[in-house]
Amino acid sequence: MKSVTLVEETRAGLVENVHIGMICGVNEKLDSLYHVGDATHHTFYRSAAKPIQALPVFLSNIITKYGLTNEEVTLFTASHRGEPYHIDALESMLQKLPVREEELFCPAAYPLNRQPKEKMLWENKEKRRLYHNCSAKHMGFIAVCRELGYPVEGYWKIEHPLQQQLLEILSVLSDVPVSQIEIGMDGCGVPVFAIPLKNMALTYLKLACPALITDISMQKAVKQMTSLMHEHPRMVASDDFICTELLKDKNIVAKGGAQGVYCFGLKNERIGFALKVLNGSEDVWPVIIASILEQINYENHETIARLRALKPSIIWNDAGDKVGEIAERFRLVGMEESTS
């Protein structure tokens, strides 16, 4: 496994933190147009898989059958942060869908964002499964099971027909045979899949450019799903988070996962990117992705500016003094350079 320094943080001129990892950008032929480090490294999607895991909902009649709003539907793709607008939509979904909160396999939790969590603690409210950042995904899983006649019990197990369906969907989108997809357990208890980084990038290229998908029903489902992610980006994460800021750009389909995994696809450029920060940091995503976009001469400078605003290059201490800097240290290698 070859990795490269992606970002350095310095304090008083001394290196304090180093974030190493790998990056890959591919076209529809799975050519590595750009890379840093090992593009074949098997990587777990973590929550970057959520749009893929949401596709069975979009392939079914659930949305119209139960009268879900666009905001509610977008939550199936989300790692929601527990803001009031998330909780309101989740409560509404519970009333509409044939799902009971106690059926969700994800554990009870408080919201991820500080303000709603502190408010609930102040009001002495208990943790709920609904507040877990994967709760909408689990609601979608159960709704699909009931719609397709699958058993709800054990929907989180890899041998369950729903999880087998998801394996097939991932295989189609990634061009990786099911037999070569590695399987672990995610933080919320459902299977999590690992494939080569370059194939992860390919899945997001197909999400951004669904015409590359030969299955027409899957193509239509992807179009519907990604249009809603663009229409309601803060439902996917929350304000001032990287997924939301990237999805404001209708040319980009993006989603991150735990432990430093991030994927995005560019429609007009027809490139899919995937990256892995090996120390698991999510904090440096904006720096890395802004640099990727700058290095490929991405035309939407407003998107890059929003990313730079999320993670400025100057490190300030609690008193407001400048104490250090954060900067990317990688250079994308192109196809021509790889073969020269």
Side-chain angles (χ1 to χ4, degrees):
M1 176 182 66
K2 180 184 178 183
S3 58
V4 173
T5 296
L6 302 179
V7 175
E8 280 185 354
E9 297 179 63
T10 58
R11 187 178 298 262
L14 297 177
V15 175
E16 187 169 45
N17 291 310
V18 176
H19 304 274
I20 65 172
M22 55 274 294
I23 301 167
C24 185
V26 304
N27 61 15
E28 61 266 34
K29 297 178 182 178
L30 205 58
D31 298 321
S32 290
L33 301 181
Y34 304 99
H35 71 272
V36 171
D38 185 2
T40 65
H41 176 63
H42 274 68
T43 305
F44 283 109
Y45 273 89
R46 305 301 301 269
S47 283
K50 280 180 176 168
I52 299 166
Q53 291 167 315
L55 282 172
V57 171
F58 291 87
L59 288 165
S60 73
N61 191 42
I62 287 170
I63 296 169
T64 55
K65 182 175 181 178
Y66 296 103
L68 300 178
T69 67
N70 288 345
E71 290 91 340
E72 291 165 356
V73 175
T74 308
L75 277 171
F76 290 124
T77 72
S79 296
H80 72 80
R81 308 289 302 186
E83 290 293 337
Y85 50 87
H86 294 133
I87 302 303
D88 288 347
L90 290 164
E91 293 278 17
S92 174
M93 292 165 73
L94 268 184
Q95 296 301 313
K96 296 175 180 180
L97 291 170
V99 176
R100 300 187 304 276
E101 186 170 355
E102 59 269 24
E103 293 179 306
L104 304 181
F105 190 67
C106 58
Y110 285 117
L112 290 179
N113 276 0
R114 181 182 57 81
Q115 190 169 353
K117 178 181 179 179
E118 289 180 352
K119 184 175 186 294
M120 288 178 183
L121 288 169
W122 179 257
E123 295 173 351
N124 204 28
K125 291 185 177 180
E126 295 184 355
K127 295 179 179 179
R128 288 179 60 183
R129 297 182 186 192
L130 197 68
Y131 300 158
H132 193 282
N133 76 306
C134 298
S135 60
K137 175 180 73 177
H138 284 255
M139 292 170 71
F141 284 168
I142 294 172
V144 167
C145 286
R146 290 215 157 96
E147 186 69 15
L148 300 182
Y150 298 159
V152 171
E153 178 62 31
Y155 74 83
W156 55 89
K157 297 178 180 179
I158 188 58
E159 61 268 21
H160 190 279
L162 173 63
Q163 299 302 330
Q164 291 297 306
Q165 180 184 357
L166 289 171
L167 267 173
E168 293 290 345
I169 290 173
L170 177 58
S171 179
V172 168
L173 294 178
S174 66
D175 289 1
V176 177
V178 169
S179 61
Q180 295 178 25
I181 298 174
E182 298 186 42
I183 301 167
M185 183 182 292
D186 214 340
C188 64
V190 301
V192 60
F193 308 124
I195 61 175
L197 197 69
K198 66 178 184 178
N199 295 85
M200 293 177 70
L202 179 64
T203 62
Y204 269 76
L205 174 57
K206 290 183 180 179
L207 293 182
C209 303
L212 296 173
I213 303 169
T214 55
D215 184 305
I216 299 302
S217 59
M218 182 83 69
Q219 186 183 119
K220 290 172 63 177
V222 168
K223 285 180 180 178
Q224 180 186 9
M225 179 182 70
T226 55
S227 67
L228 290 176
M229 293 172 73
H230 286 130
E231 186 178 341
H232 302 287
R234 73 174 186 166
M235 300 305 286
V236 179
S238 71
D239 293 322
D240 300 319
F241 273 81
I242 186 168
C243 292
T244 301
E245 296 305 323
L246 282 172
L247 288 167
K248 289 177 181 178
D249 185 334
K250 289 183 168 39
N251 188 52
I252 300 178
V253 176
K255 183 72 179 70
Q259 298 302 314
V261 177
Y262 209 93
C263 303
F264 63 98
L266 304 176
K267 295 183 180 183
N268 293 336
E269 294 78 5
R270 296 174 73 85
I271 305 173
F273 279 96
L275 65 93
K276 168 69 173 174
V277 183
L278 284 172
N279 64 4
S281 175
E282 303 172 15
D283 196 41
V284 293
W285 283 340
V287 179
I288 296 169
I289 296 172
S291 181
I292 290 172
L293 295 177
E294 287 169 348
Q295 290 187 49
I296 67 170
N297 298 314
Y298 188 63
E299 292 184 354
N300 193 333
H301 298 284
E302 292 181 7
T303 297
I304 297 171
R306 287 198 303 271
L307 296 178
R308 292 295 186 189
L310 286 177
K311 189 67 175 177
S313 60
I314 296 174
I315 300 173
W316 307 90
N317 70 4
D318 296 340
D321 300 318
K322 177 181 176 180
V323 295
E325 296 181 348
I326 180 168
E328 59 273 14
R329 298 299 187 210
F330 68 91
R331 176 177 169 273
L332 293 175
V333 178
M335 281 183 67
E336 298 81 2
E337 295 163 284
S338 297
T339 57
S340 61

